[in-house]
Amino acid sequence: MDNSSTLIDLLRAKIGSYLEGEPSLNFGDVVISVSRSTLPEVAKILSTDPELTFDYLRNLTAVDYITFFEMVYVLYSFSHDFRLVLKTKVSREYPVVTTVSNLWNSANWLEREVYDLFGIEFIGHPNLTRILLPDDWEGHPLRKDYPIQGPLKETPLRWDDLAEKYKKLAKEAGGEKK
């Protein structure tokens, strides 16, 4: 049974004043947007209200839209079989949002991943450190303005330079093919 209309009605009743725009459906998931400033309160309501009880954060990521970031939280309620996608915009000039790791334990590592790859900071996170890249890595590779080859410390490597290098090695080894 599709209970998305029930969820939309509950969301309008419980957090309707926080919603930016109308809830929508995307591949069976209800999608809502809230402002960054109201995210902590909305997340708390979603996780603790007995009629909603979103007790599982399935995923958390960011999207770089060049002029702003969008945080995306994919939530599930086991007790009500509700699926929800919660979104909030984050500015590029001040890429900071409040942590939700105090509500969903899975957010701990997911927020660290977003911090590492996008450079979005999470206020109140218990251990906001890089999780995938070395501590001395420069920049955040999933930002659209990140150089394709990463931080350049030497002359960029070109594919045709590699091709010439391997042709030369093959010729020296006597295995050049025509």
Side-chain angles (χ1 to χ4, degrees), residues 4-152:
S4 55
S5 58
T6 303
L7 176 56
I8 289 173
D9 291 341
L10 279 169
L11 292 170
R12 285 183 179 136
K14 303 281 182 177
I15 60 169
S17 62
Y18 298 109
L19 297 178
E20 292 184 341
E22 282 294 309
S24 62
L25 283 174
N26 188 15
F27 296 105
D29 291 348
V30 175
V31 181
I32 61 171
S33 294
V34 298
S35 73
R36 179 178 64 174
S37 62
T38 64
L39 177 68
E41 191 170 347
V42 169
K44 186 170 184 171
I45 293 167
L46 292 173
S47 69
T48 61
D49 187 286
E51 292 183 87
L52 297 170
T53 319
F54 284 97
D55 43 7
Y56 179 45
L57 176 67
R58 291 172 33 197
N59 197 9
L60 175 160
T61 192
V63 179
D64 185 349
Y65 286 102
I66 299 174
T67 57
F68 66 93
F69 295 109
E70 184 172 65
M71 288 299 307
V72 181
Y73 303 82
V74 182
L75 303 168
Y76 183 73
S77 170
F78 283 104
S79 55
H80 303 293
D81 191 30
F82 290 149
R83 297 182 338 217
L84 178 68
V85 177
L86 171 64
K87 297 181 177 186
T88 190
K89 288 184 180 179
V90 178
S91 73
R92 288 186 78 83
E93 296 76 30
Y94 187 62
V96 175
V97 68
T98 304
T99 187
V100 294
S101 63
N102 55 327
L103 300 171
W104 299 289
N105 289 333
S106 58
N108 189 318
W109 283 40
L110 295 170
E111 288 178 347
R112 288 177 62 193
E113 180 181 34
V114 169
Y115 166 71
D116 199 1
L117 300 176
F118 287 94
I120 297 172
E121 295 189 30
F122 294 87
I123 297 170
H125 191 281
N127 183 24
L128 194 60
T129 56
R130 287 194 182 268
I131 193 169
L132 298 171
L133 300 170
D135 290 336
D136 61 348
W137 190 271
E138 294 177 19
H140 306 282
L142 290 186
R143 287 187 173 203
K144 291 196 175 168
D145 58 357
Y146 188 77
I148 292 173
Q149 290 185 319
L152 299 177

